[in-house]
Amino acid sequence: MDDPRAQRLFGDSLVAPGDLAQSPFRVDRDRIVSSPFLARLAGVTQVISPGGAGLLVHNRLTHSLKVAQVGRAVAERLRAGAPDLAEKLGGCDPDVVEAAALAHDLGHPPFGHLGERVLDRLARHRLGLPDGFEGNAQSYRIVTSTEIGGQATIGLNLTNAVRAAILKYPWTRLNHPDPHPRFMDPPPRGAAVVPDDPDGGSLKFGAYSTEIADVRAARAPFAGRVADWQQTVEASVMDAADDIAYAIHDLEDVHRVGVLQQGLVATELMAWQRWGSESDLTRAGGAIESLRRQLCRKEDWIADDEAFADAVELVRAELVDGLLARPFDGSLEAEARVAAFSANWTRRLVDSVELVGQPAIRSSHAQLARAQWHEVQILKFVQNRFVLERPDLALHQRGQARLLASLVEALIAWLTDPDEAQRLPRRLRDLVELAETELPAGTPDRLSRARGRAVIDFVAGLTDSQAVGLMEALSGRSRQLWTDAFVL
């Protein structure tokens, strides 16, 4: 195939079952949709664990579907509105964006971002893996290495364009590209160093060191169009769509289950609107004032006090005095209010995304207009302040963190038990073999590192309920025998 964007990782001779489309990028979308890793996301936490809140809340699968919907709408607008600029920067194909959006969360482990932090800490400090764990890098690993396509472990064999669009953070933790973006001043969003380890590389990154060759191949068609550390246009559209979906659709969940209380949100926003010369940030309004100061310090390329104040007022009027004014009671009227809120805000934000030829370092080619960028910050603030900081959520998350840590330890013990070599889960053995082949001969503690990476890959591939069930079995608390085998 002549188009380097459409070239695949392993060539066009490898055809996956179910490739019904003619467009190579639609083939990619179909391969992702057919992947068991996408189906798994129905059982993985987005913000609130589905098992603890019923079936009304988003999971990682429904979130990915909505990111794909929003991303496609944005891509179609940008390609129609600025076709020459989109082409100059490497292209803005809606099929590419949709495929990347569907794939962007494939690597997220059980229990959402909590699981990501726990596995990263264990991978770096307990298992000695310099790359640690990162959900975005795990997604890239799945589509290039650990997913099954045909008869071999080759990944999904996606095109360059889609693999590049999955790279929300187009760098590894430590060494690629060179110089590494964490040394830039300011660093790109996500590239700052790990807070607890100045020598640990970037906090966020898009690929492990084992996938560097794949990253280079995927990004080669974009050389000279976007900087080595910069997202492709299609990646930046996917990233913007992810932000929009999180800011709006996750608010639906917390309203539905009744954990977003109107009085608390109203008090904070209205107190800030009356904020004068107060210096006590522990008072009502202090949290959002802290956000304003943080944005002015870190995002001076776009932060604006007037736009911030306008965003606070708009969210107060439409969220506090609008959606939250009446508790969600499950009625058709309540459903209609949620749908109207979501549709109106989604359209407002989608219509504001613009294509920029020379974005700021901490921005990207596809970015929200100034007013809407501030509105998204306020919507995300509401979620972070009044949901993620709740003690009852912290209670559950501490238990989930302990469960994941215990599960990793139990699997390492099983792997290193010489009497159990023939009874290990087949998938776990396969992952050890894969990880060992990726490490150069002579690597210190090569088998130990391979086992560590295999356990991380294995646990990251579980649903919330599978992680719980497997730990129940390994701890001897489960009386079920054969039903536990489904994760093995």
Side-chain angles (χ1 to χ4, degrees):
M1 187 172 296
D2 294 334
D3 183 358
R5 282 171 44 92
Q7 288 177 356
R8 299 191 175 278
L9 181 60
F10 295 97
D12 295 309
S13 60
L14 296 170
V15 179
D19 286 354
L20 304 179
Q22 296 299 316
S23 162
F25 305 135
R26 292 192 182 186
V27 168
D28 285 357
R29 180 197 60 191
D30 292 348
R31 291 183 180 190
I32 294 164
V33 168
S34 300
S35 166
F37 277 87
L38 184 67
R40 176 189 74 93
L41 296 183
V44 178
T45 293
Q46 170 64 12
V47 173
I48 301 174
S49 178
L55 298 177
L56 291 174
V57 300
H58 286 79
N59 52 53
R60 285 279 167 185
L61 176 59
T62 56
H63 167 73
S64 296
L65 294 174
K66 290 191 173 181
V67 174
Q69 177 192 37
V70 171
R72 185 174 191 91
V74 171
E76 289 173 348
R77 282 189 64 258
L78 294 182
R79 189 166 71 164
D84 293 340
L85 180 56
E87 182 63 26
K88 178 183 177 182
L89 295 172
C92 187
D93 190 299
D95 289 329
V96 171
V97 172
E98 183 179 3
L102 290 170
H104 85 285
D105 268 353
L106 291 181
H108 268 278
F111 311 126
H113 289 294
L114 165 82
E116 194 175 8
R117 293 192 297 272
V118 171
L119 290 185
D120 181 49
R121 175 175 52 81
L122 291 169
R124 289 188 293 126
H125 301 307
R126 167 67 178 85
L127 302 176
L129 304 177
D131 280 341
F133 177 86
E134 214 283 332
N136 294 281
Q138 194 72 17
S139 296
Y140 199 82
R141 179 169 174 79
I142 285 170
V143 302
T144 59
S145 299
T146 63
E147 172 62 293
I148 305 301
Q151 301 300 311
T153 306
I154 59 167
L156 289 181
N157 197 24
L158 303 179
T159 59
N160 288 331
V162 171
R163 300 202 321 281
I166 294 171
L167 288 166
K168 182 175 179 179
Y169 306 103
W171 52 81
T172 62
R173 170 159 253 162
L174 292 166
N175 299 320
H176 178 82
D178 186 17
H180 195 274
R182 72 181 184 276
F183 299 120
M184 298 174 65
D185 186 20
R189 186 168 52 92
V193 298
V194 180
D196 64 347
D197 185 1
D199 299 321
S202 287
L203 178 65
K204 306 295 290 183
F205 54 100
Y208 299 121
S209 57
T210 47
E211 280 73 60
I212 286 180
D214 296 338
V215 171
R216 289 193 175 113
R219 300 224 357 138
F222 303 91
R225 297 174 182 265
V226 297
D228 288 344
W229 52 267
Q230 201 166 49
Q231 297 170 335
T232 66
V233 169
E234 290 147 337
S236 68
V237 172
M238 179 272 290
D239 192 8
D242 194 16
D243 249 11
I244 291 171
Y246 174 80
I248 300 172
H249 300 132
D250 290 347
L251 281 177
E252 295 179 19
D253 291 348
V254 292
H255 173 56
R256 287 173 184 276
V257 300
V259 300
L260 189 59
Q261 300 174 20
Q262 183 201 30
L264 292 176
V265 182
T267 297
E268 180 69 20
L269 299 188
M270 294 175 69
W272 181 83
Q273 289 178 311
R274 296 191 298 269
W275 196 271
S277 58
E278 294 92 337
S279 58
D280 184 4
L281 296 178
T282 64
R283 295 178 52 190
I288 198 165
E289 172 62 15
S290 295
L291 172 67
R292 185 194 67 80
R293 296 179 186 183
Q294 177 186 3
L295 294 178
C296 288
R297 183 175 68 255
K298 296 180 64 176
E299 312 293 351
D300 59 355
W301 61 276
I302 194 171
D304 177 86
D305 283 347
E306 184 176 348
F308 187 91
D310 290 344
V312 171
E313 171 57 23
L314 184 64
V315 171
R316 185 202 61 76
E318 297 200 6
L319 179 64
V320 177
D321 294 347
L323 183 66
L324 301 183
R326 298 174 64 181
F328 183 84
D329 59 7
S331 65
L332 294 179
E333 182 183 358
E335 290 284 7
R337 288 199 304 272
V338 171
F341 176 87
S342 178
N344 290 339
W345 269 95
T346 300
R347 176 51 58 194
R348 174 181 177 82
L349 297 179
V350 166
D351 286 348
S352 79
V353 179
E354 51 197 10
L355 196 59
V356 179
Q358 296 291 332
I361 291 176
R362 291 186 58 81
S363 183
S364 58
H365 288 293
Q367 58 184 235
L368 291 160
R370 186 182 300 270
Q372 286 68 44
W373 183 90
H374 285 82
E375 290 158 13
V376 166
Q377 307 312 310
I378 304 303
L379 290 171
K380 290 165 69 174
F381 164 82
V382 171
Q383 178 96 309
N384 294 336
R385 174 68 173 175
F386 299 105
V387 179
L388 299 185
E389 293 183 11
R390 288 174 61 104
D392 47 4
L393 180 60
L395 174 68
H396 282 277
Q397 288 184 332
R398 289 182 66 84
Q400 291 167 343
R402 289 173 62 88
L403 184 149
L404 282 180
S406 299
L407 181 55
V408 168
E409 293 293 346
L411 289 171
I412 288 292
W414 196 1
L415 264 178
T416 54
D417 186 341
D419 296 329
E420 291 288 302
Q422 299 305 312
R423 299 206 302 166
L424 290 169
R426 179 58 187 268
R427 182 172 184 82
L428 189 55
R429 280 189 286 172
D430 289 345
L431 290 172
V432 172
E433 292 177 6
L434 172 66
E436 196 167 10
T437 62
E438 292 173 333
L439 295 171
T443 299
D445 301 319
R446 188 183 185 205
L447 180 57
S448 177
R449 283 197 186 186
R451 286 170 170 168
R453 176 54 64 191
V455 166
I456 295 296
D457 284 343
F458 186 85
V459 172
L462 300 174
T463 65
D464 293 9
S465 61
Q466 284 176 333
V468 172
L470 184 56
M471 193 61 234
E472 287 284 307
L474 285 167
S475 63
R477 291 192 294 267
S478 174
R479 296 186 178 183
Q480 302 296 318
L481 176 57
W482 306 114
T483 53
D484 290 323
F486 70 97
V487 300
L488 306 182

